[in-house]
Amino acid sequence: MFVPRPHLCNLLQRERRRLQLLCAPAGYGKTALLREYVRGARGRVVWMSLGGQSQSLASLCALLAGELGVAPDTRPDALIELTGLTSSRAGSLPQLTAFRCGSEPARDGSLPGDESSKVRLVFDDLPAEMPDDLNHWFDQLLSLYNPHLQVLVTCRQRPDWNLPRLMLAGELLELGARQLALRPDEFESLVSLIAPHTDTASRESLWHATGGWCAGVRLLPSALLGQYLERELLSRLSDEQQEVLFSLAHLSKASVELCEQLWEGQQGAQRFQSLLDSQAFMFPIDHQPGWFRLLPAVANALQGRLGGVALNRLRLRACRLLSVLGHVDDAVEQALSADQPEVAANYMERLWLSWILNERHLGQFMDWRERIDPQLLQSSPRLIYLCAKALLFSGRLDETEACLQRLGRFLPMPDPQRNQRLLANWQALYGNLHALRGNAEPARRHCHAALRDLTAQDWLSVLLCHCTLARIAMKTGELNEAQVLLEHSLELARRHGNREAEVLVNTDRVQLMMLQGQSGLAQSLLRTELAQLNVRRTQPYPLIGRLLFLQGEWLLQQGRLVEAEQVAQSGLLQVRDCCAPFVLNGYLLLSEIASRNDIPEKAHLLLYEAERRMHWAKIDRAFFQAPLAEQKARMLAREQGEDGDKPVRATAVTDYQDGLTPREVSVLRLLAEGMSVREVGSRLFISVNTVKTHAKNINVKLGACRRTQAINSAKAMGILA
């Protein structure tokens, strides 16, 4: 089955470099792409299928001579000259027809237009190792300055040619696995061809296992992937390389330094580097220079090659080395895999408190919590605090409170200053807990009390308090106060160089801008953050998902349903393994889009899936019960023909509120009675500006553009009688 790659064909056509090099592991569609490209190209193509087999200078030149239609014993240097002449006068040698493309030749053998004299030499599946004289011959060929000659090469290992010189001269276009991997839309097309009934969860799992590896997409659902790897990968590796590869299948990451120590005295670094050079499906890890991971589909297929005592020994050694190299989370995982929970708990204490801010780590931490005896996790204040923070961010509020209460067993601390700091950090979490439950006043008290005693070392708790107070201020319409608090939080995150904290603060700032009616600024900030986070990132990243859901909401408010749906779907791919409450926003957004597109069954199915995911993640009902009920009411109103054009309730505030505040309900009720803004202010003893702020917040929360829409929506939801 063939999936067209027009964007890559266009790239090859647009970037007319002397050498176009496609270097990637087996199964990335290198040969298929070149065949697709040359079928649409004008000029002549000489196609050399080398099959990865060893070649000498004499054997390759004999093959080329045969394709050119000249004597097989033609000297190598004469072949280079002949190639240059042939490319200058493409029609002069009628034998050059091994692979003819494009329009028919004219009477003189040439092709019309600028491309008529173009000759493309294709060396398909170049061998990994070539003798020096053959490499020198290629360097001579590529040094020809002839605009009519182009060399295209597919290979699984970068050839030992003078590629830097070509790059500096602007004569090299190199495509690797990252560029050749299927894009999400191409992946969906391929899956629809080979298994059209594959459900969403299976598609997501297949996508993350293969990373767009074409052969993996086709073979992973079958039992043939192991055989494919045996033939296309393992048969090309030495026994020493295979030993390292089978071990790496059980590690989440590897580096030259780690492998040198893991196989001390056995040239571990050289073996690992040889695997990288051989394109053995080892890919760089985002934003971790020098670290690589084996493609998950390949790792899973190879894990059965190592087991028993040898595997356990590997895990324990890797556990110690990873911790020394600063990768404590990977050390914890290896300790648990080696059935050493005590060691894992010991390493967990060394995690930075800010580590959990990366929402991709949150699910990992919660998984560890399920695999470790609770007594071990209650053995120190730091472990209890870490667990409480993870539970809080995961939306498991009752468990958070129970966890926080266990800190009392360690109070008072022997050192008064440590005692004070522990209490302050405890109050910071309690403040956030109360805010999430909708208890604004206790939340304020705890946060302000915590801020009095928190030190510079507790910057993360200071930031948490500021953000909590800002969200409460947004909920009550005190937008100026919220802006000041968020600006303080942003500065704090930047001064400590914590990118995750900065992004999380900016999500609140986007929400504030939407409440302030600054839609353009909100979209500009979203674009900036997404552009920065998406740079060279290949693994799922929940923070990107959070931002994409906000962008989807913005697009929906602009009436751009198709774009909003695409963005929301992309967001769900980023949060596949995330267990945080904000994941609900993606499903609400997609449900609203389906409802507006008059697909009620799909809209209800998405809400069912959202509720299932909230239950599966054990998220407190306070986070999802009211938003789901509001969306169902909105859909019912649309199905009954009432206010079918109003937008979805903005996800800008769903993280910390479930509906209207009592004061907002009072304002809405008086407005529903027909009172003016000034009359409402007089009745409630508040200023006109405060009434307007409440009215704006009401519209955002109810997804309304006008007062009448807000009133009708509130009636449909049962907020107003």
Side-chain angles (χ1 to χ4, degrees), residues 62-137:
L63 287 172
L64 180 57
E67 296 293 346
L68 292 176
V70 298
D73 58 349
T74 303
R75 297 191 326 275
D77 56 339
L79 271 178
I80 291 176
E81 293 180 16
L82 179 60
T83 303
L85 288 172
T86 301
S87 61
S88 298
R89 297 182 289 105
S92 64
L93 287 180
Q95 297 93 337
L96 193 59
T97 56
F99 199 105
R100 181 175 296 176
C101 308
S103 49
E104 290 297 318
R107 290 182 180 179
D108 62 355
S110 65
L111 291 171
D114 294 336
E115 291 288 299
S116 62
S117 58
K118 176 77 72 177
V119 171
R120 296 174 174 87
L121 292 181
V122 179
F123 297 92
D124 185 36
D125 201 1
L126 199 73
E129 301 292 338
M130 294 190 295
D132 291 341
D133 58 350
L134 182 52
N135 282 323
H136 178 66
W137 183 86

Side-chain angles (χ1 to χ4, degrees), residues 433-462:
L433 176 65
H434 278 294
L436 291 171
R437 284 177 166 165
N439 304 324
E441 288 310 312
R444 280 197 180 101
R445 286 199 304 270
H446 278 292
C447 286
H448 285 303
L451 289 170
R452 286 194 292 269
D453 295 323
L454 290 170
T455 68
Q457 294 174 276
D458 307 309
W459 70 270
L460 195 56
S461 290
V462 173

Side-chain angles (χ1 to χ4, degrees), residues 496-604:
H496 285 84
N498 192 291
R499 188 72 182 101
E500 285 79 15
E502 183 180 354
V503 175
L504 286 171
V505 173
N506 275 333
T507 61
D508 284 337
R509 292 181 65 221
V510 167
Q511 295 162 358
L512 176 61
M513 291 171 184
M514 293 172 75
L515 288 173
Q516 292 172 324
Q518 299 174 332
S519 177
L521 284 177
Q523 177 65 353
S524 177
L525 180 55
L526 278 173
R527 284 203 191 105
T528 300
E529 288 290 1
L530 284 167
Q532 292 178 356
L533 289 180
N534 272 315
V535 174
R536 294 180 59 83
R537 194 176 296 281
T538 57
Q539 295 172 263
Y541 196 50
L543 275 178
I544 293 178
R546 185 188 285 259
L547 293 171
L548 286 172
F549 295 152
L550 283 172
Q551 188 180 48
E553 173 63 28
W554 184 88
L555 289 167
L556 183 65
Q557 291 180 357
Q558 305 301 309
R560 295 154 65 177
L561 300 189
V562 174
E563 294 173 75
E565 184 172 19
Q566 292 172 345
V567 165
Q569 291 286 7
S570 298
L572 284 182
L573 285 176
Q574 297 289 343
V575 302
R576 175 177 172 266
D577 297 319
C578 182
C579 55
F582 79 88
V583 173
L584 175 70
N585 296 346
Y587 289 100
L588 289 174
L589 182 56
L590 287 171
S591 175
E592 174 66 11
I593 293 170
S595 178
R596 291 196 189 191
N597 286 328
D598 197 24
I599 315 176
E601 290 184 3
K602 180 179 178 181
H604 285 283

Side-chain angles (χ1 to χ4, degrees), residues 10 84 275 472 639:
N10 291 338
L275 288 174
I472 294 172
E639 290 165 14

